[in-house]
Amino acid sequence: MPDLLQIGGVTDVMRERLEAAFTIHKLADGTYPAEAITHIATNGHDGVPADVMSALPNLKMISCYGVGYDAVDVTAAKARGIVVTHTPNVLNGEVATTAVMLMMACYRELLRDDAWVRSGNWEAKGNAPLTRSVDNQTVGILGLGRIGQAIADKLAPFGTTIVYHSRTQKDVAYKYYADLKEMAANVDCLICITPGGPATNKIVNKDVLDALGAKGTLINVSRGSVVDEAAMIAALQEKRLGWAGLDVFEAEPKVPQALRDLPNVVLLPHVGSATVETRAAMGALTVDNLLQHLSDGSTVSPVPECTDM
Ligand code: NDP
């Protein structure tokens, strides 16, 4: 059987299917037969460390469990004829739900009001202060791709006006802003859902945050690298930015204490797609890609850079 290097965890169902086709070696075990490895199963967080990729002379394919693949050096892989796959579409609805849930938790002060009940404040102090309505807001989507569109669709019943920024204008009815800062100045809530990597590094900077403003809400379900975290913390502390709902952070799983201390944030441990149902679908696609590559050299869902391979 061909040899597969497993980076990070896999589900039981994935392991069963993989064991039927591959001899599995785990990077975490420290030793593996480098010459023999032809396939890698990894995830969007762990990716493939550069020294690992360069130590595998016969590597043919990398299957990534997740749609974001910024932790894999696709340019280096492609230059060696190594095809990279990911799991688009099957997680669109789930990640969109996470974004909408964070937005609602911020607007309706879900955590504060939950604490109001648990702490006995309701009985001791009376009704909790009023919150803000999620209805009829203008929401700017940074990155109107597969998940961005799913977010727009999920917000439609709330009477939301959707506007967006991306590098290219899409064939949609929503207003397009070529300039991110200009969009931030004209929305109530900014939702980030671009890929990570150098092209989007800290594009939500101090200027964008100040444009979003004291009444603005920032939701980030993309990558921590997309937002200047230090600038965001300062803006939240100084009330130049109203609220933030965050699923992703610059140095996961480390989250700055200053951010954890803020009352105007809702923090999630990178669980955008983390439901049993969606992870099963992502796992199935991750394994489908590996098995199809084994059987005929093709793949189901290559990353855009590898569609011509
Ligand atoms: P798509 O490729 O379908 O969409 C990406 C969007 O981002 C496109 O609209 C693209 O438009 C835009 N974009 C890309 N680069 C830039 C840039 N430099 N400036 C502005 N806009 C840009 O991807 P998906 O919707 O499938 O996924 C998006 C990302 O969501 C993933 O890459 C991942 O990082 C993140 N994600 C997070 C999860 C979580 O658990 N929190 C789970 C799943 C995904 P254009 O090409 O015109 O620039």
Side-chain angles (χ1 to χ4, degrees), residues 66-70 86-92 94-96 98-99 102 141-151 164-170 176 178 180 192-201 203 220-226 246-248 252 269-274 279 282 304:
V67 68
Y69 54 95
D70 44 301
H86 65 155
T87 61
N89 295 316
V90 294
L91 41 59
N92 293 352
E94 208 68 69
V95 184
T98 304
L102 281 170
I141 297 182
L142 168 55
L144 191 73
R146 291 173 292 247
I147 301 171
Q149 183 60 57
I151 294 170
Y164 72 103
H165 167 76
S166 53
R167 288 172 300 191
T168 53
Q169 189 165 0
K170 317 288 173 196
Y176 172 67
L180 174 57
C192 308
I193 187 63
T194 58
T200 55
N201 191 45
I203 56 173
N220 189 9
V221 286
S222 57
R223 286 289 182 262
S225 59
V226 173
L246 309 168
D247 185 44
V248 288
E252 297 173 12
H270 201 148
V271 290
S273 65
R279 286 293 168 85
M282 290 163 61

Side-chain angles (χ1 to χ4, degrees), residues 115-167:
W116 197 262
V117 178
R118 290 175 197 269
S119 65
N121 270 357
W122 194 11
E123 212 179 333
K125 297 185 180 173
N127 290 336
L130 299 182
T131 63
R132 302 173 299 149
S133 178
V134 179
D135 290 357
N136 305 315
Q137 300 298 292
T138 298
V139 170
I141 297 182
L142 168 55
L144 191 73
R146 291 173 292 247
I147 301 171
Q149 183 60 57
I151 294 170
D153 294 344
K154 290 218 176 189
L155 285 173
F158 294 91
T160 309
T161 299
I162 298 288
V163 301
Y164 72 103
H165 167 76
S166 53
R167 288 172 300 191

Side-chain angles (χ1 to χ4, degrees), residues 209 228-238 240-241 256 258-259 262:
L209 295 168
D228 183 333
E229 197 165 270
M232 175 189 67
I233 292 170
L236 286 162
Q237 284 171 332
E238 294 158 21
R240 286 182 282 112
L241 174 65
L259 191 51
L262 284 166

Side-chain angles (χ1 to χ4, degrees), residues 46-70:
D46 294 308
V48 181
D51 60 331
V52 173
M53 202 193 299
S54 56
L56 306 176
N58 294 308
L59 184 61
K60 301 275 178 288
M61 191 221 166
I62 297 166
S63 182
C64 194
Y65 173 64
V67 68
Y69 54 95
D70 44 301

Side-chain angles (χ1 to χ4, degrees), residues 171-204:
D171 186 19
V172 290
Y174 315 125
K175 180 177 168 70
Y176 172 67
Y177 283 92
D179 183 67
L180 174 57
K181 188 177 151 196
E182 191 191 340
M183 179 172 85
N186 286 285
V187 298
D188 303 300
C189 177
L190 174 64
I191 300 183
C192 308
I193 187 63
T194 58
T200 55
N201 191 45
K202 293 186 171 50
I203 56 173
V204 178

